[in-house]
């Protein structure tokens, strides 16, 4: 820390442009080392033991007790602490003879330090991302981004159109966000709050609603990497999703016309990719070991979850990524549930509840999106029905490649009539204007599960026969299979499925989150 603090002090008196020029002139490894030093000396996650607390800055032998923004070069501190705007009334300039003249404002340069912000972003970018955790450089870049967005999205001066913003503001904003995105701790605190439960909704709103020149690429870089399963990543993603789900109607009608997916398609695509590890958390049954993400809806309803799906369904690439993976996870729930019964386990009703929650979000999210695009209720329901087959196939293909579950997938694929696919497709809509959108019922699920058990000759089929013989719990074509099967061949006894929706204490096996589709 003594060395790093001295390194930073040596840059006092140099402007951000001069520090940037110095790094530009160094060999890459040395430029990275200097940037790393500034990130570390400015990081509040760095603590130093054994310092002399009686010494103050400027004293001989002084060593900071930890990292922090006060250890950064003074010019960077001054830029971060300066007012955002130039004086809209103009400024006074002192001439060589001491006279002062009034300089009118430059209306194309309302912001004071856009160039300096970009210089600091370059300085930060030279550093190794693995050493950037709570860096004051990144904290400052995010704070300036937040202030710039808040000011520009308001009606205050400068009240310019999006074209002006794309040319004059967005290049800086995009560079700041892209640089700061290397620091997941800084992003977490800026988005979810230091405690993970105090979301910066005003900042999130501006990130979503701003018409980005790059269609949202840089803003989308703030989403967590979906290889990061930390609690910090889950809390960050939850803050983004909770706002989108709660305010989905606004995001479907930005400025009263276009949806978020139309205005910023790259942002929505990045959002869908980042959400892949959290789809099981949204459904309420964790499969992959992520943490920090909790229910998006406060009560028993799923309005926010459906709204979140509706927002991303506006872009086909994002929609396929999100719904294809949701379909994969929903199928996995059902297959795990079925296989657990076949293996003699206690039925786990939470899996079926999670499956139903995901199916409902997929169905209603697409239905809401289709209504928003101008279709009537029948056309919207038909479009949602058509999409479900596509999403099922996407998810099923990936699921069949996962070791440990591929065998159970193959079992389902052998069953005549493809009951698993039929369950996910559901019922086609009717043109009756008073009929609600068709929803699946419990018997649809139990029929599908029972079909697999019969296919494997699993469970006490004599007991199952009573549940299946009437045809209400099994697809056509299974009656002969049931009648021809000896009830004494399986060793496992299974209670009738509808009465078996009990919870078990153990959790399913952990599995890494799937890649995007």
């Amino acid at each position: 820390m003594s060395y790093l603090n001295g390194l930073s002090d040596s840059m006092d008196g140099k402007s951000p442009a001069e520090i940037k020029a110095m790094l530009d002139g160094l060999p890459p490894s040395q430029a990275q080392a200097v940037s790393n030093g500034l990130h570390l000396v400015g990081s509040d996650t760095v603590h130093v033991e054994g310092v002399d607390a009686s010494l103050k800055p400027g004293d001989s032998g002084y060593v900071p007790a930890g990292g922090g923004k006060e250890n950064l070069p003074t010019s960077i501190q001054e830029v971060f602490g300066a007012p955002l705007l130039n004086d809209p009334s103009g400024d006074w300039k002192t001439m060589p003879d001491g006279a002062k003249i009034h300089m009118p404002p430059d209306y194309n340069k309302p912001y004071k330090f856009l160039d300096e912000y970009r210089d600091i972003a370059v300085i930060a970018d030279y550093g190794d991302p693995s050493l950037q955790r709570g860096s004051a450089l990144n904290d400052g870049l995010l704070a300036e981004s937040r202030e710039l967005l808040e000011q520009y999205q308001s009606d205050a001066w400068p009240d310019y159109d999006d074209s002006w913003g794309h040319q004059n503001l967005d290049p800086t904003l995009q560079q700041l966000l892209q640089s700061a995105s290397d620091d997941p701790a800084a992003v977490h605190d800026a988005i979810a709050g230091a405690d993970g439960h105090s979301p910066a909704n005003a900042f999130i709103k501006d990130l979503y609603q701003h018409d980005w020149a790059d269609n949202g690429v840089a803003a989308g870089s703030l989403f967590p990497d979906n290889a990061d399963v930390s609690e910090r990543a889950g809390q960050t993603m939850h803050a983004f999703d909770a706002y989108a789900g709660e305010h989905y109607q606004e995001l479907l009608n930005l400025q009263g016309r276009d949806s978020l997916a139309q205005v910023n398609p790259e942002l929505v695509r990045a959002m869908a990719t980042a959400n892949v590890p959290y789809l099981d958390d949204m459904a309420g049954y964790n499969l992959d070991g992520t943490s920090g993400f909790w229910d998006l809806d406060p009560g028993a309803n799923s309005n926010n979850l459906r709204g979140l799906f509706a927002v991303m369904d506006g872009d086909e690439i994002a929609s396929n990524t999100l719904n294809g993976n949701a379909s994969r996870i929903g199928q996995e729930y059902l297959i795990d549930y079925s296989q657990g019964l076949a293996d003699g386990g206690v039925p786990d009703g939470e899996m079926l509840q999670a499956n139903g929650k995901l199916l409902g979000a997929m169905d209603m999210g697409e239905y809401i999106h289709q209504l928003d695009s101008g279709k009537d209720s029948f056309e919207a329901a038909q479009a949602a029905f058509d999409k479900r087959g596509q999403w099922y196939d996407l998810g099923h293909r990936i699921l069949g490649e996962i070791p440990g579950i591929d065998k159970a997938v193959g079992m389902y694929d052998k069953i005549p009539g493809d009951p698993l696919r039929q369950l996910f497709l559901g019922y086609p809509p009717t043109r009756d204007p008073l009929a609600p959108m068709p929803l699946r019922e419990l018997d649809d699920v139990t029929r599908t599960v029972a079909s697999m058990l019969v296919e494997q000759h699993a469970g006490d089929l004599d007991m199952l026969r009573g549940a299946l013989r009437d045809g209400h719990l099994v697809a056509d074509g299974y009656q002969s299979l049931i009648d021809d099967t000896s009830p004494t061949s399986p060793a496992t006894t299974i209670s009738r499925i509808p009465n078996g929706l009990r919870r078990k204490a153990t959790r399913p096996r952990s599995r890494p989150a799937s890649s995007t589709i």
Side-chain angles (χ1 to χ4, degrees):
M1 178 57 75
S2 176
Y3 169 77
L4 296 177
N5 192 56
L7 174 69
S8 179
D9 285 349
S10 72
M11 300 180 205
D12 285 347
K14 290 184 171 63
S15 68
E18 290 171 327
I19 297 173
K20 172 187 172 294
M22 179 185 71
L23 298 188
D24 290 342
L26 292 173
S29 62
Q30 293 181 29
Q32 184 183 68
V34 173
S35 179
N36 288 344
L38 293 178
H39 281 297
L40 290 170
V41 82
S43 173
D44 58 11
T45 65
V46 175
H47 306 282
V48 186
E49 295 182 356
V51 300
D52 186 344
S54 67
L55 297 178
K56 305 299 179 189
D59 292 347
S60 177
Y62 166 75
V63 178
K69 63 182 179 182
E70 66 278 1
N71 300 335
L72 293 177
T74 54
S75 64
I76 294 178
Q77 293 185 53
E78 289 167 359
V79 167
F80 283 158
L84 186 70
L85 291 167
N86 287 313
D87 189 336
S89 66
D91 205 351
W92 290 91
K93 182 177 180 180
T94 302
M95 303 302 290
D97 61 0
K100 292 185 176 182
I101 61 172
H102 182 259
M103 303 293 293
D106 183 343
Y107 287 101
N108 281 316
K109 293 184 178 180
Y111 299 109
K112 220 173 189 33
F113 288 127
L114 291 188
D115 292 338
E116 286 77 4
Y117 299 153
R118 287 196 295 268
D119 291 335
I120 296 171
V122 173
I123 293 167
D125 253 349
Y126 270 113
D128 181 346
S130 68
L131 295 179
Q132 298 180 37
R133 296 296 182 272
S135 161
L137 288 175
N138 296 320
D139 285 340
L141 295 176
L142 287 167
E144 296 301 339
S145 300
R146 178 175 180 167
E147 193 175 355
L148 283 166
L149 270 175
E150 180 182 12
Q151 198 281 333
Y152 184 74
Q153 294 290 110
S154 72
D155 294 329
W157 180 81
D159 191 12
Y160 298 137
D161 60 19
D162 290 333
S163 176
W164 184 93
H166 287 172
Q167 296 176 29
N168 296 277
L169 180 63
D170 281 15
T172 297
L173 268 173
Q174 289 161 192
Q175 189 171 358
L176 304 192
L177 296 177
Q178 199 81 52
S179 295
S181 69
D182 285 338
D183 188 338
V187 172
H188 169 272
D189 290 0
I191 297 297
D195 63 356
H197 293 269
S198 306
N201 285 330
F203 188 22
I204 295 170
K205 174 183 178 181
D206 289 340
L207 286 167
Y208 284 150
Q209 297 198 359
H210 184 70
D211 183 355
W212 292 100
D214 65 355
N215 294 325
V217 172
S221 71
L222 298 180
F223 297 131
D225 188 302
N226 67 8
D228 183 355
V229 297
S230 66
E231 182 178 26
R232 175 191 61 218
Q235 291 174 346
T236 302
M237 203 63 227
H238 186 276
F240 278 117
D241 285 346
Y243 183 89
E246 185 176 348
H247 299 273
Y248 75 91
Q249 295 184 40
E250 297 171 24
L251 298 180
L252 292 177
N253 297 280
L254 295 181
Q255 300 178 355
R257 54 182 197 279
D258 295 330
S259 70
L260 175 63
Q262 292 171 302
V263 175
N264 293 313
E266 294 296 339
L267 174 59
V268 172
R269 293 168 190 174
M271 189 178 183
T273 299
N275 265 307
V276 169
Y278 301 103
L279 289 166
D280 55 339
D281 303 80
M282 295 177 194
Y285 199 106
N286 190 295
L287 288 169
D288 56 19
T290 51
S291 62
F293 197 105
W294 62 97
D295 201 331
L296 293 173
D297 294 278
N301 67 62
S302 297
N303 291 339
N304 292 347
L305 180 57
R306 296 166 183 169
L308 176 66
F309 273 69
V311 168
M312 285 181 275
D313 282 344
D315 178 82
E316 185 173 2
I317 295 174
S319 178
N320 285 342
T321 296
L322 189 77
N323 290 283
N325 278 288
S327 169
R328 168 183 62 82
I329 292 169
Q331 292 174 59
E332 188 170 355
Y333 284 140
L334 202 67
I335 290 171
D336 276 358
Y337 178 86
S338 305
Q339 195 62 51
L341 287 176
D343 294 341
V346 178
D348 188 351
E350 286 188 62
M351 280 190 177
L352 294 192
Q353 291 170 2
N355 169 274
K357 192 170 184 178
L358 268 186
L359 290 180
M362 293 166 64
D363 291 351
M364 294 306 298
E366 181 65 18
Y367 180 68
I368 292 168
H369 155 62
Q370 294 293 342
L371 287 176
D372 182 68
S373 68
K375 292 183 172 64
D376 64 30
S377 58
F378 170 76
E379 293 169 337
Q382 183 65 49
F385 176 79
D386 294 340
K387 280 284 188 180
R388 290 200 290 270
Q390 176 184 337
W391 296 334
Y392 173 85
D393 293 338
L394 286 171
H396 199 69
R397 174 175 52 80
I398 289 184
L399 196 61
E401 298 171 358
I402 298 178
I405 200 170
D406 51 343
K407 181 179 178 182
V409 173
M411 282 289 194
Y412 259 118
D413 289 345
K414 292 178 184 177
I415 301 174
D418 203 351
L420 186 61
R421 191 174 198 276
Q422 289 304 313
L423 173 66
F424 273 76
L425 260 63
Y427 305 102
T430 68
R431 285 196 173 273
D432 181 354
L434 300 179
M437 183 174 174
L439 301 176
R440 300 166 191 80
E441 301 194 14
L442 179 61
D443 275 5
D444 300 322
V445 179
T446 53
R447 182 188 304 116
T448 305
V449 172
S451 297
M452 181 180 179
L453 298 178
V454 173
E455 174 70 21
Q456 296 191 60
H457 295 186
D460 186 340
L461 295 188
D462 191 45
M463 295 178 67
L464 279 175
R465 187 179 287 113
L468 300 173
R469 186 183 294 279
D470 60 6
H472 290 303
L473 294 181
V474 68
D476 292 340
Y478 272 85
Q479 192 63 56
S480 61
L481 176 60
I482 298 167
D483 290 339
D484 294 343
T485 303
S486 167
T488 59
S489 57
T492 304
T493 298
I494 303 175
S495 62
R496 182 171 175 168
I497 306 299
N499 297 326
L501 305 184
R502 302 187 299 275
R503 297 187 177 191
K504 66 178 181 180
T506 57
R507 295 168 65 84
R509 61 190 180 278
S510 293
R511 200 179 289 112
S514 169
S515 59
T516 58
I517 293 176

